[in-house]
C-alpha cells in the first residue's frame, strides 16, 4: 500500500450529500462542474498526491530547510513536486477565468487541497498561502495590481505569503509597528516580521508578500493598519522581473514539526509596496485571506488526521502480537478491542471533520453565487459561524488523532523512523497559527453568537432539528442528537442571558462552547451521511464503504458524541472558578 491514498469515496460522499456539490453544479456559473468533471479532477489529484507529493513528506522532515547566501534552500524533492503541481494547473481550479483560473466552485478545490495537505503538510503550506493571497487580491486589489499579479499567482509561477506577525504583535495585531511611507504612486515598507511561512524560497520565480504596516500619522490600534503587496522582485512594465526588492529572510526558526516549511524572520527595508484596498483598512482586507486560511488550517487538521489514520491502520494489520479473544494463535493487533477503539476514534473524528469542513466551504460558494440575496446572506452568516468551529475543533481533534496514531504503533510510534511521530509533531502547530484556538473560540462566542444574538447559530440548530425530524433509518441516533442540540440551545441561552452581567463569561466558556458545537455538528454531519449511505446502498452502490460509514456513525454516537455532556457542563459552570484564583496564587505551591 502507498503511504497515502486519498479517501476519494468519502470525499465524494461529503461533497455530494453534505456540501451540496450537485446543487452548485446546477448554477449557471458552474455549468462546467459536471459530476464526470468532478470525478476526473479528484481521481487525477489523488494520483498526484499519492505518487508525486506524498513521497516527499519524510524526505522533507529529515532534510528540513536552511539559509544559504541570503536565500532559503528547501529539499530538492519539493521542486519537482511543486513543478508538477503548477504545470497541472492545480492552483487555478476555483479562480476567475479572467485571470487564468478554471472557474470551478471553491468547494471543488477543498478536497484537492486536503490531498496536498495530507500528502505533505509542510510542502502544502506554500500552495495554501498562495491561494489565500489570490483570494485577498481578487477581492481587494485594484485592477492594475490584479492584472500583474493574479495570473502569475494563479498559475503557480509565483507564490504568496501572509505577513502579519511581529515580535510584539501576535494575537494582538493592534501592536503592528512595520512602517510604510508614500513614495510617488507606490509606498516604501520597512520593518521586521516573524514566523513568516514560506517567507522565502526558490520554488517560484517571484513571491508576493502581503504585509501589514502602518502609515505615518495612522490612528493607533487596528484602525491604523494598511495592507501592502511587497514583491520579492519588482515587475517591469513588460511583465519581466526587475530589481530585487529587499525582502530578506533574516533567519529561520527551528521547529518541532513541519521542518520543511521555512518559517522566516523577514526584513523589509525601503521595499517598494503597493497598497491593497484603502489606507488604514488593511486588517479588513487581510481578513479575506485569514478567513480562507482558517478554513484551510481546519482542513489541514482533517488531512493530517487522515494520513495518521492510514498509517496506523497499516501498522495495526501488520504488527503481530498475542492471540486476540476468539483466536488461538498470535495475530495482527487490529484484532484487539482497544486497538479497534483507537482506530475507530481516528476514523470517526476525521470523517466527521471532513464533512463539517466541506459543508462550511460549500456555504462560501452559495454566499457568492446563490440566486437570491436572502440566501446569499444566510449562507455568508452560516460560513462565518462555522469557520472558527472548523478551525478550532478540527485542529483540536487532530492532536488526539495523531497522538492515537503514535499509540497504535506502541514503542515504534515514539521512534522517528516509522513516521507516526512526524504527523504528531506536524499537527501541533495547527491550534496555534492562523489565530490560536483560544482566539477562534472568542471569535465564535463574541462575534458569531453574541453579536447577532444567536441568530446564525439558531438557524444552524434548526437545520439539525430538520435532520432529526426526518426520522429515517437511524431513529435512535436522531434521538441522541436531539438531546445534544437541546444542550447547545441551553448553553446558547445561558450565554446570551449571562454575558451582559458577567464580562468574564464569554472568555471563560468560549473554548468549551466551541468544542460543544464541533462535537455535536460532527455527529449531525455523520448522521446525514449514514442516512445517505443507507439509501445509496439500497440502490446497489458500493456496499463495503457505505456499510462502514454506518458503523463509523454508530461508533461516533456511542463513543464520541457523549463528550458534549462534559462540554455543556463546563459551559454551564461559567466563569467563577476560572477567574477566582489570584495571579499570585498560581505560584504558591513552591
Ligand atoms: C510555524 C508557524 C508559522 C506561522 N506562520 C505565520 C505566517 O505565515 N504569517 C504570520 O503573520 N504569522 C505566522 N505565524 C504566527 C502565528 O499566527 C502566531 O504565532 C499566532 O497568531 C499566535 O501569536 P503569538 O505567537 O504571538 O502568541 P500570543 O498572542 O502571545 O498568545 C499566547 C497565548 O495567549 C493566548 N492569548 C493571547 N491573547 C489572548 C486573548 N486576547 N484572549 C485569550 N487568549 C489570548 C493565546 O491563545 C495563546 O494561547 C506562524 C507561527 C508559527 C509558529
Amino acid at each position: 500500500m502507498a503511504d497515502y491514498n486519498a479517501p476519494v469515496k468519502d470525499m465524494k460522499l461529503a461533497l455530494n450529500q453534505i456540501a451540496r456539490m450537485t446543487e452548485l453544479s446546477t448554477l449557471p456559473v458552474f455549468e462546467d462542474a459536471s459530476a464526470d468533471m468532478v470525478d476526473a479532477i479528484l481521481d487525477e489529484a489523488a494520483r498526484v498526491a499519492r505518487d508525486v507529493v506524498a513521497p516527499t513528506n519524510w524526505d522533507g522532515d529529515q532534510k528540513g530547510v536552511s539559509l544559504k547566501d541570503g536565500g532559503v534552500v528547501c529539499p530538492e524533492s519539493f521542486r519537482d513536486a511543486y513543478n508538477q503541481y503548477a504545470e497541472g494547473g492545480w492552483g487555478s481550479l476555483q479562480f476567475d477565468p479572467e485571470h487564468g483560473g478554471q472557474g470551478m466552485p471553491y468547494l471543488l478545490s477543498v478536497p484537492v487541497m486536503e490531498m496536498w495537505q495530507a500528502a505533505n503538510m509542510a510542502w502544502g503550506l506554500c500552495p495554501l498561502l498562495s491561494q489565500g493571497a489570490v483570494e485577498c487580491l481578487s477581492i481587494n486589489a485594484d485592477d492594475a495590481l490584479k492584472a500583474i499579479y493574479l495570473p502569475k499567482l494563479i498559475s503557480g509561477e509565483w507564490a504568496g505569503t501572509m505577513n502579519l506577525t511581529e515580535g510584539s504583535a501576535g494575537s494582538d495585531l493592534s501592536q503592528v509597528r512595520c512602517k510604510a511611507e508614500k513614495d510617488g504612486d507606490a509606498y516604501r515598507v520597512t520593518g521586521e516580521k516573524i514566523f513568516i511561512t514560506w517567507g522565502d524560497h526558490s520554488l517560484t520565480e517571484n513571491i508576493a508578500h502581503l504585509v501589514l504596516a502602518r502609515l505615518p500619522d495612522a490612528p493607533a490600534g487596528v484602525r491604523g493598519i494598511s495592507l501592502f503587496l511587497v514583491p520579492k522582485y519588482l515587475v517591469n512594465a513588460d511583465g519581466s522581473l526587475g530589481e530585487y526588492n529587499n525582502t530578506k529572510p533574516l533567519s529561520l526558526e527551528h521547529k518541532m514539526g513541519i521542518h520543511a516549511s521555512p518559517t522566516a524572520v523577514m526584513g523589509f527595508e525601503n521595499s517598494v509596496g503597493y497598497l491593497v484596498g484603502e489606507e488604514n483598512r488593511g486588517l479588513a482586507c487581510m481578513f479575506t485571506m485569514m478567513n480562507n486560511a482558517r478554513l484551510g488550517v481546519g482542513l489541514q487538521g482533517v488531512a493530517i488526521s487522515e494520513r495518521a489514520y492510514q498509517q496506523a491502520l497499516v501498522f495495526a494489520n501488520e504488527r503481530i502480537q498475542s492471540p486476540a479473544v476468539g483466536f488461538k494463535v498470535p495475530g495482527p493487533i487490529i484484532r484487539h478491542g482497544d486497538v479497534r477503539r483507537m482506530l475507530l476514534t481516528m476514523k470517526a473524528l476525521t470523517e466527521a471533520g471532513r464533512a463539517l469542513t466541506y459543508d462550511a466551504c460549500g456555504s462560501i460558494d452559495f454566499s457568492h453565487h446563490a440566486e437570491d440575496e436572502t440566501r446569499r446572506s444566510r449562507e455568508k452568516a452560516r460560513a462565518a459561524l462555522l469557520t472558527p468551529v472548523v478551525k478550532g475543533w478540527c485542529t483540536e481533534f487532530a492532536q488526539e488523532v495523531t497522538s492515537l496514531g503514535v499509540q497504535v504503533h506502541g514503542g515504534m510510534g515514539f521512534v522517528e523512523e516509522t513516521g507516526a511521530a512526524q504527523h504528531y509533531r506536524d499537527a501541533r502547530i495547527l491550534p496555534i497559527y492562523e489565530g490560536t484556538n483560544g482566539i477562534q473560540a472568542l471569535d465564535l462566542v463574541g462575534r458569531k453568537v453574541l453579536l447577532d444574538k444567536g441568530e446564525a447559530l439558531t438557524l444552524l440548530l434548526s437545520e439539525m432539528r430538520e435532520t432529526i425530524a426526518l426520522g429515517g433509518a437511524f431513529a435512535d441516533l436522531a434521538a441522541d442528537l436531539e438531546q445534544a442540540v437541546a444542550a447547545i440551545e441551553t448553553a446558547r441561552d445561558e450565554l446570551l442571558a449571562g454575558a451582559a452581567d458577567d464580562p468574564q463569561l464569554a472568555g471563560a466558556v468560549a473554548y468549551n462552547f466551541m468544542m460543544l458545537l464541533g462535537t455535536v455538528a460532527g455527529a449531525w454531519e455523520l448522521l446525514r451521511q449514514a442516512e445517505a449511505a443507507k439509501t445509496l446502498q439500497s440502490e446497489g452502490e458500493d456496499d463495503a464503504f457505505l456499510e462502514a460509514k454506518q458503523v463509523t456513525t454508530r461508533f461516533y454516537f456511542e463513543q464520541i458524541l457523549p463528550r458534549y455532556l462534559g462540554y455543556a457542563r463546563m459551559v454551564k459552570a461559567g466563569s467563577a472558578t476560572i477567574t477566582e484564583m489570584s495571579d499570585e496564587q498560581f505560584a504558591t505551591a513552591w
Side-chain angles (χ1 to χ4, degrees):
M1 179 176 160
D3 277 359
Y4 169 66
N5 284 293
V8 176
K9 287 181 192 169
D10 199 55
M11 289 170 159
K12 284 183 191 165
L13 192 76
L15 281 180
N16 296 328
Q17 302 296 335
I18 302 296
R20 302 165 288 170
M21 184 72 196
T22 30
E23 188 188 343
L24 271 178
S25 60
T26 64
L27 298 178
V29 62
F30 296 134
E31 63 184 9
D32 290 343
S34 64
D36 287 348
M37 176 63 88
V38 169
D39 286 358
I41 288 174
L42 293 182
D43 290 344
E44 179 58 9
R47 184 194 66 76
V48 178
R50 182 192 62 222
D51 296 345
V52 179
V53 184
T56 66
N57 195 39
W58 173 248
D59 180 53
D61 184 60
Q62 294 306 296
K63 295 198 174 120
V65 285
S66 56
L67 260 186
K68 198 171 165 208
D69 304 328
V72 169
V73 181
C74 45
E76 206 36 52
S77 61
F78 278 28
R79 190 173 300 282
D80 177 51
Y82 188 85
N83 289 343
Q84 292 205 43
Y85 161 85
E87 281 157 18
W90 292 110
S92 67
L93 278 177
Q94 74 271 39
F95 295 120
D96 191 345
E98 193 189 331
H99 299 293
Q102 298 180 47
M104 289 286 161
Y106 163 63
L107 178 60
L108 178 56
S109 74
V110 174
V112 173
M113 182 56 81
E114 183 192 324
M115 294 183 203
W116 310 142
Q117 303 306 324
N120 184 340
M121 203 174 96
W123 176 92
L125 276 159
C126 183
L128 186 70
L129 281 156
S130 297
Q131 298 212 350
V134 170
E135 182 103 346
C136 178
L137 293 173
S138 303
I139 295 173
N140 301 299
D142 62 29
D143 289 345
L145 268 189
K146 282 187 195 171
I148 298 169
Y149 287 90
L150 285 181
K152 296 285 189 182
L153 285 166
I154 288 174
S155 68
E157 287 163 89
W158 297 353
T161 70
M162 182 165 80
N163 291 247
L164 289 74
T165 309
E166 298 177 12
S168 53
S171 302
D172 181 8
L173 290 171
S174 69
Q175 302 303 319
V176 162
R177 292 212 166 82
C178 202
K179 287 192 170 51
E181 281 186 275
K182 190 125 182 65
D183 181 24
D185 290 341
Y187 294 77
R188 295 280 174 168
V189 176
T190 300
E192 231 174 75
K193 295 283 177 183
I194 64 167
F195 293 151
I196 304 310
T197 298
W198 285 94
D200 187 68
H201 58 91
S202 60
L203 293 184
T204 58
E205 297 163 355
N206 203 3
I207 303 175
H209 298 286
L210 291 179
V211 183
L212 287 182
R214 216 174 260 292
L215 289 161
D217 308 324
V222 290
R223 280 168 212 233
I225 299 175
S226 305
L227 178 62
F228 299 91
L229 189 164
V230 183
K232 178 173 175 178
Y233 293 103
L234 297 174
V235 184
N236 297 321
D238 65 358
S240 61
L241 291 185
E243 272 174 54
Y244 179 55
N245 193 27
N246 285 331
T247 62
K248 291 200 183 79
L250 302 175
S251 61
L252 294 180
E253 306 299 346
H254 297 278
K255 311 189 294 289
M256 69 185 278
I258 51 168
H259 288 155
S261 164
T263 306
V265 174
M266 293 298 297
F268 300 93
E269 202 182 324
N270 224 17
S271 309
V272 176
Y274 307 99
L275 185 69
V276 177
E278 291 170 34
E279 289 186 354
N280 299 329
R281 300 264 310 133
L283 204 56
C285 299
M286 195 55 127
F287 255 103
T288 46
M289 184 165 185
M290 281 154 70
N291 279 331
N292 176 307
R294 284 174 178 183
L295 287 169
V297 174
L299 185 68
Q300 286 186 311
V302 174
I304 201 151
S305 297
E306 175 69 38
R307 183 90 192 243
Y309 168 67
Q310 290 192 12
Q311 174 151 357
L313 182 62
V314 170
F315 186 85
N317 276 298
E318 287 173 353
R319 171 74 173 155
I320 308 296
Q321 285 293 278
S322 52
V325 176
F327 292 86
K328 292 203 169 68
V329 290
I333 57 170
I334 195 169
R335 291 178 180 166
H336 293 288
D338 191 54
V339 175
R340 301 175 77 81
R341 174 194 62 79
M342 290 192 276
L343 289 170
L344 274 164
T345 303
M346 297 172 81
K347 181 173 166 62
L349 282 168
T350 306
E351 292 182 10
R354 175 175 297 119
L356 184 65
T357 305
Y358 291 14
D359 196 3
C361 294
S363 273
I364 294 209
D365 278 313
F366 285 111
S367 76
H368 294 306
H369 302 292
E371 270 157 11
D372 76 281
E373 171 56 30
T374 319
R375 169 98 186 267
R376 285 199 295 275
S377 71
R378 183 176 164 173
E379 298 280 1
K380 189 175 173 196
R382 188 178 189 269
L385 174 76
L386 287 174
T387 296
V389 184
V390 166
K391 198 283 177 179
W393 181 63
C394 295
T395 62
E396 288 295 326
F397 77 58
Q399 309 309 304
E400 179 181 353
V401 170
T402 54
S403 175
L404 285 172
V406 172
Q407 193 71 15
V408 168
H409 284 73
M412 289 310 287
F414 199 68
V415 171
E416 284 288 351
E417 71 236 32
T418 58
Q422 184 192 348
H423 307 316
Y424 182 53
R425 289 187 283 101
D426 285 354
R428 191 60 190 88
I429 186 58
L430 300 175
I432 298 172
Y433 64 20
E434 220 24 77
T436 63
N437 283 358
I439 299 295
Q440 302 304 318
L442 286 176
D443 177 48
L444 171 68
V445 164
R447 264 186 257 164
K448 312 291 167 61
V449 176
L450 289 174
L451 204 63
D452 80 346
K453 301 195 171 42
E455 200 179 309
L457 176 60
T458 302
L459 284 172
L460 184 74
L461 296 177
S462 67
E463 285 184 50
M464 296 187 196
R465 286 202 171 276
E466 276 167 31
T467 306
I468 294 163
L470 284 176
F474 299 93
D476 52 337
L477 304 191
D480 287 346
L481 181 63
E482 186 165 25
Q483 289 186 23
V485 169
I488 301 181
E489 286 163 346
T490 305
R492 173 202 60 196
D493 295 345
E494 285 166 356
L495 186 65
L496 289 170
D501 294 336
D502 177 2
Q504 301 284 359
L505 181 68
V509 305
Y511 176 85
N512 288 316
F513 194 88
M514 177 180 81
M515 296 302 285
L516 170 65
L517 187 48
T519 305
V520 177
W524 171 55
E525 302 289 29
L526 279 180
L527 178 58
R528 295 167 74 200
Q529 287 193 316
E531 291 289 0
K534 186 100 189 153
T535 308
L536 291 169
Q537 207 178 20
S538 68
E539 291 163 3
E541 291 206 21
D542 187 335
D543 222 28
F545 164 68
L546 297 172
E547 189 65 40
K549 175 63 72 180
Q550 296 166 60
V551 177
T552 306
T553 302
R554 282 203 175 282
F555 175 86
Y556 188 102
F557 272 72
E558 283 173 15
Q559 301 289 326
I560 297 173
L561 179 62
R563 295 177 190 184
Y564 87 83
L565 293 164
Y567 293 125
R569 198 166 159 190
M570 289 186 276
V571 170
K572 193 173 185 55
S575 66
T577 50
I578 288 178
T579 53
E580 189 182 338
M581 188 170 285
S582 71
D583 292 359
E584 293 72 33
Q585 280 177 320
F586 273 103
T588 50
W590 59 84

